[in-house]
Coordinates of all heavy atoms in Angstrom, one line a residue:
M1 N -12.0 -11.6 -4.6 CA -12.4 -10.6 -5.6 C -13.3 -9.6 -4.9 O -14.3 -10.0 -4.2 CB -13.0 -11.4 -6.7 CG -13.4 -10.5 -7.9 SD -13.8 -11.5 -9.3 CE -15.4 -12.1 -8.9
T2 N -13.2 -8.3 -5.2 CA -14.0 -7.3 -4.5 C -14.7 -6.5 -5.6 O -14.1 -6.1 -6.6 CB -13.1 -6.4 -3.6 OG1 -12.5 -7.2 -2.7 CG2 -14.0 -5.3 -3.0
C3 N -15.9 -6.2 -5.4 CA -16.7 -5.4 -6.3 C -16.8 -4.0 -5.7 O -17.3 -3.9 -4.5 CB -18.1 -6.0 -6.4 SG -19.2 -5.1 -7.6
K4 N -16.3 -3.0 -6.4 CA -16.3 -1.7 -5.8 C -17.6 -0.9 -6.0 O -18.1 -0.8 -7.1 CB -15.1 -0.9 -6.5 CG -13.8 -1.5 -6.1 CD -12.7 -0.7 -6.7 CE -11.3 -1.3 -6.4 NZ -10.2 -0.6 -7.0
G5 N -18.0 -0.3 -4.9 CA -19.1 0.7 -4.9 C -20.5 0.2 -5.3 O -21.3 1.1 -5.5
R6 N -20.8 -1.1 -5.3 CA -22.1 -1.5 -5.6 C -22.3 -2.9 -5.1 O -21.4 -3.5 -4.6 CB -22.4 -1.4 -7.1 CG -21.5 -2.1 -8.0 CD -21.8 -1.8 -9.4 NE -20.6 -2.1 -10.2 CZ -20.6 -2.8 -11.2 NH1 -21.7 -3.4 -11.6 NH2 -19.5 -3.0 -11.9
Q7 N -23.5 -3.4 -5.3 CA -23.8 -4.8 -4.9 C -23.1 -5.8 -5.8 O -22.8 -5.5 -6.9 CB -25.3 -5.0 -5.0 CG -26.2 -4.4 -3.9 CD -27.6 -4.8 -4.0 OE1 -28.2 -4.8 -5.1 NE2 -28.2 -5.2 -2.9
L8 N -22.9 -6.9 -5.2 CA -22.3 -8.0 -6.0 C -23.2 -8.4 -7.1 O -24.4 -8.5 -6.9 CB -22.1 -9.2 -5.1 CG -21.0 -9.1 -4.1 CD1 -20.9 -10.3 -3.2 CD2 -19.6 -8.8 -4.7
P9 N -22.7 -8.7 -8.3 CA -23.5 -9.2 -9.4 C -23.8 -10.7 -9.2 O -23.2 -11.3 -8.3 CB -22.6 -9.0 -10.6 CG -21.2 -9.1 -10.1 CD -21.3 -8.5 -8.7
P10 N -24.8 -11.2 -9.9 CA -25.1 -12.6 -9.7 C -23.9 -13.5 -10.1 O -23.2 -13.2 -11.1 CB -26.2 -12.9 -10.7 CG -26.8 -11.5 -11.0 CD -25.7 -10.5 -10.8
L11 N -23.6 -14.5 -9.3 CA -22.4 -15.3 -9.5 C -22.5 -16.0 -10.9 O -21.4 -16.3 -11.5 CB -22.3 -16.4 -8.4 CG -22.0 -15.8 -7.0 CD1 -21.9 -16.9 -6.0 CD2 -20.8 -14.9 -7.0
A12 N -23.7 -16.2 -11.4 CA -23.8 -16.9 -12.7 C -23.2 -16.0 -13.8 O -22.9 -16.5 -14.9 CB -25.2 -17.2 -13.0
D13 N -23.1 -14.7 -13.6 CA -22.6 -13.7 -14.6 C -21.1 -13.6 -14.6 O -20.5 -12.9 -15.4 CB -23.2 -12.3 -14.3 CG -24.6 -12.3 -14.6 OD1 -25.2 -13.2 -15.3 OD2 -25.3 -11.3 -14.3
I14 N -20.4 -14.3 -13.6 CA -18.9 -14.2 -13.5 C -18.3 -15.6 -13.8 O -18.6 -16.6 -13.2 CB -18.5 -13.8 -12.1 CG1 -19.2 -12.5 -11.7 CG2 -17.0 -13.6 -12.0 CD1 -19.1 -12.1 -10.2
S15 N -17.3 -15.6 -14.7 CA -16.5 -16.8 -14.9 C -15.0 -16.4 -14.8 O -14.6 -15.3 -15.0 CB -16.8 -17.4 -16.3 OG -16.5 -16.5 -17.3
I16 N -14.2 -17.5 -14.6 CA -12.8 -17.2 -14.5 C -12.0 -18.2 -15.4 O -12.5 -19.3 -15.7 CB -12.3 -17.4 -13.0 CG1 -12.5 -18.8 -12.5 CG2 -12.9 -16.4 -12.1 CD1 -11.6 -19.2 -11.3
L17 N -10.8 -17.8 -15.7 CA -9.9 -18.6 -16.4 C -8.5 -18.5 -15.7 O -8.1 -17.4 -15.4 CB -9.7 -18.1 -17.8 CG -8.7 -18.8 -18.7 CD1 -9.3 -20.1 -19.2 CD2 -8.4 -17.9 -19.9
L18 N -8.0 -19.6 -15.2 CA -6.7 -19.6 -14.4 C -5.7 -20.4 -15.2 O -5.9 -21.6 -15.3 CB -6.9 -20.1 -13.0 CG -5.7 -20.1 -12.1 CD1 -5.2 -18.7 -11.8 CD2 -6.1 -20.8 -10.8
K19 N -4.6 -19.8 -15.7 CA -3.6 -20.5 -16.4 C -2.4 -20.7 -15.5 O -2.0 -19.7 -14.8 CB -3.1 -19.7 -17.6 CG -4.2 -19.6 -18.7 CD -3.6 -18.8 -19.9 CE -4.7 -18.6 -20.9 NZ -4.2 -17.9 -22.1
S20 N -1.9 -21.9 -15.5 CA -0.7 -22.2 -14.7 C 0.3 -23.0 -15.6 O 0.0 -23.3 -16.8 CB -1.0 -23.0 -13.5 OG -1.3 -24.3 -13.8
R21 N 1.4 -23.3 -15.0 CA 2.4 -24.1 -15.8 C 1.9 -25.5 -16.2 O 2.2 -26.0 -17.2 CB 3.7 -24.3 -14.9 CG 4.7 -25.2 -15.3 CD 5.9 -25.2 -14.3 NE 5.6 -25.1 -12.9 CZ 5.1 -26.1 -12.2 NH1 4.9 -27.3 -12.7 NH2 4.9 -25.9 -10.9
D22 N 1.0 -26.1 -15.4 CA 0.5 -27.4 -15.6 C -0.8 -27.5 -16.3 O -1.3 -28.6 -16.7 CB 0.3 -28.2 -14.3 CG 1.6 -28.6 -13.6 OD1 2.7 -28.6 -14.4 OD2 1.7 -28.9 -12.4
G23 N -1.5 -26.3 -16.6 CA -2.7 -26.4 -17.3 C -3.6 -25.2 -17.1 O -3.1 -24.2 -16.5
T24 N -4.8 -25.3 -17.6 CA -5.8 -24.2 -17.5 C -7.0 -24.6 -16.8 O -7.6 -25.7 -17.2 CB -6.1 -23.6 -18.9 OG1 -4.9 -23.2 -19.5 CG2 -7.0 -22.5 -18.9
L25 N -7.5 -23.9 -15.9 CA -8.8 -24.1 -15.2 C -9.8 -23.1 -15.6 O -9.4 -21.9 -15.7 CB -8.6 -24.1 -13.7 CG -7.6 -25.1 -13.1 CD1 -7.4 -24.7 -11.6 CD2 -8.1 -26.5 -13.2
R26 N -11.0 -23.5 -15.9 CA -12.1 -22.6 -16.2 C -13.3 -22.9 -15.4 O -13.5 -24.0 -15.1 CB -12.5 -22.6 -17.7 CG -11.5 -23.0 -18.7 CD -12.1 -23.2 -20.0 NE -11.1 -23.5 -20.9 CZ -10.6 -22.6 -21.8 NH1 -11.1 -21.4 -21.8 NH2 -9.6 -22.8 -22.5
G27 N -14.1 -21.9 -15.1 CA -15.3 -22.2 -14.4 C -16.2 -20.9 -14.2 O -15.7 -19.8 -14.3
N28 N -17.4 -21.2 -13.9 CA -18.4 -20.2 -13.5 C -18.5 -20.1 -12.0 O -18.5 -21.2 -11.4 CB -19.7 -20.5 -14.2 CG -20.7 -19.4 -13.9 OD1 -21.3 -19.4 -12.9 ND2 -20.9 -18.5 -14.9
L29 N -18.5 -19.0 -11.4 CA -18.5 -18.9 -10.0 C -19.7 -19.5 -9.3 O -19.7 -20.0 -8.2 CB -18.4 -17.4 -9.5 CG -17.0 -16.8 -9.7 CD1 -17.0 -15.4 -9.0 CD2 -15.9 -17.6 -9.2
Q30 N -20.8 -19.5 -10.1 CA -22.0 -20.2 -9.5 C -21.8 -21.6 -9.3 O -22.4 -22.2 -8.3 CB -23.2 -19.9 -10.4 CG -24.5 -20.4 -9.9 CD -25.7 -20.1 -10.8 OE1 -25.5 -19.9 -12.0 NE2 -26.9 -20.0 -10.2
A31 N -20.9 -22.3 -10.0 CA -20.7 -23.7 -9.9 C -19.6 -24.0 -8.9 O -19.3 -25.2 -8.7 CB -20.4 -24.3 -11.3
M32 N -18.9 -23.0 -8.4 CA -17.8 -23.2 -7.5 C -18.2 -23.1 -6.0 O -19.2 -22.5 -5.7 CB -16.7 -22.2 -7.8 CG -16.1 -22.3 -9.1 SD -14.8 -21.1 -9.3 CE -14.3 -21.4 -10.9
D33 N -17.3 -23.5 -5.1 CA -17.5 -23.3 -3.7 C -17.1 -21.8 -3.4 O -16.0 -21.4 -3.6 CB -16.6 -24.3 -2.9 CG -16.7 -24.2 -1.4 OD1 -17.7 -23.5 -0.9 OD2 -15.9 -24.7 -0.7
T34 N -18.1 -21.0 -3.1 CA -17.9 -19.6 -2.9 C -18.4 -19.1 -1.5 O -19.2 -19.8 -0.9 CB -18.6 -18.7 -3.9 OG1 -20.0 -19.0 -3.9 CG2 -18.1 -19.0 -5.3
K35 N -17.8 -18.0 -1.1 CA -18.3 -17.3 0.1 C -18.3 -15.9 -0.2 O -17.4 -15.3 -0.8 CB -17.3 -17.6 1.3 CG -17.3 -19.0 1.8 CD -16.4 -19.1 3.0 CE -16.4 -20.5 3.5 NZ -15.5 -20.7 4.7
T36 N -19.4 -15.2 0.2 CA -19.5 -13.8 0.0 C -19.7 -13.1 1.3 O -20.3 -13.6 2.3 CB -20.8 -13.4 -0.9 OG1 -21.9 -13.9 -0.2 CG2 -20.6 -14.1 -2.3
Q37 N -19.1 -11.9 1.4 CA -19.2 -11.1 2.6 C -19.1 -9.6 2.2 O -18.1 -9.2 1.6 CB -18.0 -11.4 3.6 CG -18.2 -10.6 4.9 CD -17.1 -11.0 5.9 OE1 -16.2 -11.8 5.6 NE2 -17.2 -10.4 7.0
G38 N -20.2 -8.9 2.3 CA -20.2 -7.5 1.8 C -20.1 -7.5 0.3 O -20.8 -8.2 -0.4
N39 N -19.1 -6.8 -0.1 CA -18.8 -6.7 -1.6 C -17.6 -7.6 -2.0 O -17.0 -7.3 -3.0 CB -18.6 -5.3 -2.0 CG -17.4 -4.7 -1.4 OD1 -16.8 -5.2 -0.4 ND2 -17.0 -3.5 -1.9
T40 N -17.3 -8.6 -1.2 CA -16.2 -9.5 -1.6 C -16.7 -10.9 -1.8 O -17.5 -11.5 -1.1 CB -15.2 -9.5 -0.4 OG1 -14.7 -8.2 -0.1 CG2 -14.0 -10.4 -0.7
I41 N -16.1 -11.6 -2.9 CA -16.4 -12.9 -3.2 C -15.1 -13.8 -3.1 O -14.1 -13.4 -3.6 CB -16.9 -13.1 -4.7 CG1 -18.1 -12.2 -5.0 CG2 -17.2 -14.6 -5.0 CD1 -18.4 -12.1 -6.4
G42 N -15.2 -14.8 -2.3 CA -14.1 -15.8 -2.2 C -14.5 -17.0 -2.9 O -15.6 -17.5 -2.8
F43 N -13.5 -17.6 -3.7 CA -13.9 -18.9 -4.4 C -12.7 -19.8 -4.4 O -11.6 -19.5 -4.3 CB -14.3 -18.6 -5.8 CG -13.3 -17.7 -6.6 CD1 -12.4 -18.4 -7.4 CD2 -13.3 -16.4 -6.6 CE1 -11.4 -17.6 -8.1 CE2 -12.4 -15.6 -7.3 CZ -11.5 -16.2 -8.1
L44 N -13.0 -21.1 -4.4 CA -12.1 -22.2 -4.4 C -12.0 -22.8 -5.8 O -13.0 -23.2 -6.3 CB -12.5 -23.2 -3.3 CG -11.6 -24.4 -3.1 CD1 -10.3 -24.0 -2.6 CD2 -12.3 -25.4 -2.2
V45 N -10.8 -22.9 -6.3 CA -10.6 -23.5 -7.6 C -10.0 -24.9 -7.6 O -10.1 -25.6 -8.6 CB -9.7 -22.6 -8.6 CG1 -10.4 -21.3 -8.8 CG2 -8.4 -22.4 -8.0
G46 N -9.5 -25.3 -6.5 CA -8.9 -26.7 -6.4 C -7.4 -26.7 -6.7 O -6.8 -25.6 -6.6
T47 N -6.9 -27.8 -7.0 CA -5.4 -28.0 -7.2 C -5.0 -27.4 -8.6 O -5.6 -27.7 -9.6 CB -5.0 -29.5 -7.2 OG1 -5.4 -30.0 -5.9 CG2 -3.5 -29.6 -7.4
V48 N -4.0 -26.5 -8.6 CA -3.6 -25.9 -9.8 C -2.3 -26.6 -10.4 O -2.3 -26.9 -11.6 CB -3.3 -24.4 -9.5 CG1 -2.8 -23.7 -10.8 CG2 -4.5 -23.7 -9.0
N49 N -1.3 -26.8 -9.6 CA -0.1 -27.5 -10.0 C 0.2 -28.7 -9.1 O -0.2 -28.7 -8.0 CB 1.1 -26.5 -9.9 CG 1.1 -25.5 -11.0 OD1 0.4 -25.6 -12.0 ND2 1.9 -24.4 -10.7
F50 N 0.9 -29.6 -9.7 CA 1.3 -30.8 -8.9 C 2.3 -30.4 -7.8 O 2.3 -30.9 -6.7 CB 1.8 -31.9 -9.8 CG 0.8 -32.4 -10.8 CD1 0.9 -32.1 -12.1 CD2 -0.3 -33.1 -10.3 CE1 -0.1 -32.5 -13.0 CE2 -1.3 -33.5 -11.2 CZ -1.2 -33.3 -12.6
K51 N 3.2 -29.5 -8.2 CA 4.2 -28.9 -7.3 C 4.2 -27.4 -7.5 O 4.0 -26.9 -8.7 CB 5.6 -29.5 -7.5 CG 5.7 -30.9 -7.0 CD 7.2 -31.3 -7.1 CE 7.3 -32.7 -6.5 NZ 8.7 -33.2 -6.5
T52 N 4.5 -26.6 -6.5 CA 4.5 -25.1 -6.7 C 6.0 -24.7 -6.4 O 6.5 -25.1 -5.3 CB 3.6 -24.4 -5.7 OG1 2.2 -24.9 -6.0 CG2 3.6 -22.9 -5.9
Y53 N 6.5 -23.9 -7.2 CA 7.8 -23.3 -7.1 C 7.8 -21.8 -7.0 O 6.8 -21.2 -7.4 CB 8.7 -23.7 -8.3 CG 8.8 -25.2 -8.5 CD1 8.0 -25.9 -9.4 CD2 9.7 -26.0 -7.7 CE1 8.1 -27.2 -9.5 CE2 9.8 -27.3 -7.9 CZ 9.0 -28.0 -8.8 OH 9.0 -29.3 -9.0
A54 N 8.8 -21.2 -6.3 CA 8.8 -19.8 -6.1 C 8.7 -19.0 -7.4 O 8.2 -17.9 -7.5 CB 10.0 -19.4 -5.3
R55 N 9.2 -19.6 -8.5 CA 9.3 -18.9 -9.8 C 7.9 -19.0 -10.6 O 7.8 -18.4 -11.6 CB 10.4 -19.4 -10.6 CG 10.2 -20.8 -11.1 CD 11.4 -21.3 -11.9 NE 11.3 -22.7 -12.3 CZ 11.6 -23.8 -11.5 NH1 12.0 -23.6 -10.3 NH2 11.4 -25.0 -11.9
D56 N 7.0 -19.8 -10.1 CA 5.7 -20.0 -10.8 C 4.9 -18.7 -10.9 O 5.0 -17.8 -10.0 CB 4.9 -21.0 -10.0 CG 5.3 -22.4 -10.3 OD1 6.2 -22.7 -11.2 OD2 4.9 -23.3 -9.5
K57 N 4.2 -18.5 -11.9 CA 3.3 -17.4 -12.1 C 2.0 -18.0 -12.6 O 2.0 -19.0 -13.3 CB 3.9 -16.4 -13.1 CG 5.1 -15.6 -12.7 CD 5.5 -14.6 -13.7 CE 6.7 -13.9 -13.2 NZ 7.2 -13.0 -14.2
Y58 N 0.9 -17.3 -12.3 CA -0.4 -17.7 -12.7 C -1.1 -16.5 -13.3 O -0.9 -15.4 -12.9 CB -1.2 -18.2 -11.5 CG -0.5 -19.3 -10.7 CD1 0.3 -19.0 -9.6 CD2 -0.7 -20.6 -11.0 CE1 0.9 -20.0 -8.9 CE2 -0.1 -21.6 -10.3 CZ 0.7 -21.3 -9.3 OH 1.3 -22.3 -8.6
Q59 N -1.9 -16.7 -14.3 CA -2.7 -15.7 -14.9 C -4.2 -16.0 -14.6 O -4.7 -17.0 -15.0 CB -2.5 -15.6 -16.4 CG -1.3 -14.8 -16.8 CD -1.3 -14.5 -18.2 OE1 -1.8 -15.3 -19.1 NE2 -0.8 -13.3 -18.6
L60 N -4.8 -15.0 -13.9 CA -6.2 -15.2 -13.5 C -7.0 -14.1 -14.3 O -6.7 -12.9 -14.2 CB -6.4 -14.9 -12.0 CG -7.9 -14.8 -11.6 CD1 -8.6 -16.2 -11.7 CD2 -8.0 -14.4 -10.1
T61 N -7.9 -14.6 -15.2 CA -8.8 -13.7 -15.9 C -10.2 -13.8 -15.4 O -10.7 -14.9 -15.3 CB -8.7 -14.1 -17.4 OG1 -7.4 -14.0 -17.9 CG2 -9.6 -13.1 -18.3
V62 N -10.8 -12.7 -15.0 CA -12.1 -12.7 -14.6 C -13.0 -12.1 -15.7 O -12.7 -11.0 -16.2 CB -12.3 -11.8 -13.3 CG1 -13.7 -11.7 -12.8 CG2 -11.4 -12.4 -12.2
N63 N -14.0 -12.8 -16.1 CA -15.0 -12.3 -17.1 C -16.3 -12.0 -16.5 O -16.9 -12.8 -15.8 CB -15.1 -13.4 -18.2 CG -13.9 -13.7 -18.9 OD1 -13.3 -12.9 -19.6 ND2 -13.4 -14.9 -18.7
Y64 N -16.8 -10.8 -16.9 CA -18.1 -10.4 -16.4 C -18.8 -9.6 -17.5 O -18.3 -8.5 -17.9 CB -18.0 -9.5 -15.1 CG -19.2 -8.9 -14.6 CD1 -20.3 -9.6 -14.1 CD2 -19.4 -7.5 -14.7 CE1 -21.4 -9.0 -13.7 CE2 -20.6 -6.9 -14.3 CZ -21.6 -7.7 -13.8 OH -22.8 -7.1 -13.4
R65 N -19.9 -10.1 -18.0 CA -20.7 -9.5 -19.0 C -19.9 -8.9 -20.2 O -20.0 -7.7 -20.5 CB -21.6 -8.4 -18.4 CG -22.6 -8.9 -17.5 CD -23.6 -7.9 -17.0 NE -24.6 -8.5 -16.1 CZ -25.4 -7.8 -15.4 NH1 -25.4 -6.5 -15.5 NH2 -26.3 -8.4 -14.7
G66 N -19.0 -9.7 -20.7 CA -18.3 -9.3 -21.9 C -17.0 -8.5 -21.6 O -16.2 -8.2 -22.5
K67 N -16.8 -8.1 -20.3 CA -15.6 -7.4 -19.9 C -14.7 -8.4 -19.2 O -15.2 -9.3 -18.6 CB -15.9 -6.2 -19.0 CG -16.8 -5.2 -19.7 CD -17.1 -4.1 -18.7 CE -18.0 -3.0 -19.4 NZ -18.3 -2.0 -18.4
H68 N -13.4 -8.2 -19.3 CA -12.5 -9.0 -18.6 C -11.3 -8.3 -18.0 O -10.9 -7.2 -18.5 CB -12.0 -10.2 -19.5 CG -11.1 -9.8 -20.5 ND1 -11.5 -9.4 -21.8 CD2 -9.7 -9.8 -20.6 CE1 -10.5 -9.1 -22.5 NE2 -9.4 -9.3 -21.9
E69 N -10.7 -8.8 -17.0 CA -9.5 -8.3 -16.4 C -8.6 -9.4 -16.0 O -9.0 -10.4 -15.5 CB -9.9 -7.5 -15.1 CG -8.7 -6.8 -14.4 CD -9.1 -5.9 -13.3 OE1 -10.2 -5.6 -13.2 OE2 -8.1 -5.6 -12.5
T70 N -7.3 -9.3 -16.4 CA -6.3 -10.3 -16.2 C -5.3 -9.9 -15.2 O -4.8 -8.8 -15.3 CB -5.6 -10.7 -17.5 OG1 -6.6 -11.1 -18.4 CG2 -4.6 -11.8 -17.3
L71 N -5.1 -10.7 -14.2 CA -4.1 -10.5 -13.1 C -3.0 -11.5 -13.2 O -3.3 -12.7 -13.5 CB -4.7 -10.6 -11.8 CG -6.0 -9.7 -11.5 CD1 -6.7 -10.1 -10.3 CD2 -5.6 -8.2 -11.5
T72 N -1.7 -11.1 -13.0 CA -0.6 -12.1 -12.9 C -0.4 -12.3 -11.4 O -0.2 -11.3 -10.6 CB 0.6 -11.6 -13.6 OG1 0.3 -11.4 -15.0 CG2 1.8 -12.6 -13.5
L73 N -0.4 -13.6 -10.9 CA -0.2 -13.9 -9.5 C 1.1 -14.7 -9.4 O 1.5 -15.5 -10.2 CB -1.4 -14.7 -9.1 CG -2.8 -14.2 -9.4 CD1 -3.8 -15.2 -9.1 CD2 -3.0 -12.9 -8.6
K74 N 1.7 -14.6 -8.2 CA 2.9 -15.4 -7.8 C 2.6 -16.0 -6.4 O 2.0 -15.3 -5.6 CB 4.1 -14.6 -7.8 CG 4.5 -14.0 -9.2 CD 5.9 -13.4 -9.2 CE 5.9 -12.1 -8.5 NZ 7.2 -11.4 -8.6
P75 N 3.2 -17.2 -6.1 CA 3.0 -17.7 -4.8 C 3.7 -16.8 -3.8 O 4.7 -16.2 -4.0 CB 3.7 -19.1 -4.9 CG 4.0 -19.3 -6.3 CD 3.9 -18.0 -7.0
S76 N 3.2 -16.8 -2.6 CA 3.8 -16.1 -1.5 C 5.0 -16.8 -1.0 O 5.0 -18.1 -1.1 CB 2.8 -15.8 -0.4 OG 2.3 -17.0 0.2
K77 N 5.9 -16.1 -0.4 CA 7.2 -16.8 0.1 C 7.1 -17.1 1.5 O 6.4 -16.6 2.3 CB 8.4 -15.9 -0.2 CG 8.6 -15.7 -1.6 CD 9.8 -14.8 -1.9 CE 10.0 -14.6 -3.4 NZ 11.2 -13.9 -3.7

């Protein structure tokens, strides 16, 4: 995740919701294994599905101070 044009916000202010075929994962970035470099945050969410198929889609919602953005993700081939 990249923050454009400014410093990274505190990780405690960012939470995510990841929906998959097998369930939903939620968490706050402060509680996750994260790495930051410049204005980029990398985070580890763990196992999402028991098996992954090319047709799978995931919805990642990032929440920050009452605003949210949802992305649809697909596995790489």
Side-chain angles (χ1 to χ4, degrees):
M1 185 168 71
T2 302
C3 182
K4 295 182 180 178
R6 56 187 158 125
Q7 286 185 312
L8 291 175
L11 296 181
D13 291 347
I14 304 170
S15 61
I16 65 160
L17 177 76
L18 182 63
K19 292 182 182 180
S20 75
R21 172 179 35 81
D22 289 342
T24 301
L25 300 171
R26 326 170 177 263
N28 183 278
L29 288 189
Q30 186 174 25
M32 295 181 183
D33 183 11
T34 60
K35 290 184 181 179
T36 60
Q37 182 177 5
N39 64 344
T40 301
I41 303 170
F43 54 93
L44 180 65
V45 296
T47 303
V48 178
N49 287 342
F50 298 109
K51 289 187 177 183
T52 302
Y53 301 97
R55 67 182 179 276
D56 285 347
K57 290 184 182 175
Y58 306 91
Q59 279 194 324
L60 174 66
T61 302
V62 178
N63 296 297
Y64 172 67
R65 293 187 179 171
K67 297 179 183 178
H68 70 275
E69 184 171 343
T70 302
L71 307 168
T72 300
L73 310 170
K74 295 189 284 184
S76 61
K77 294 181 181 183

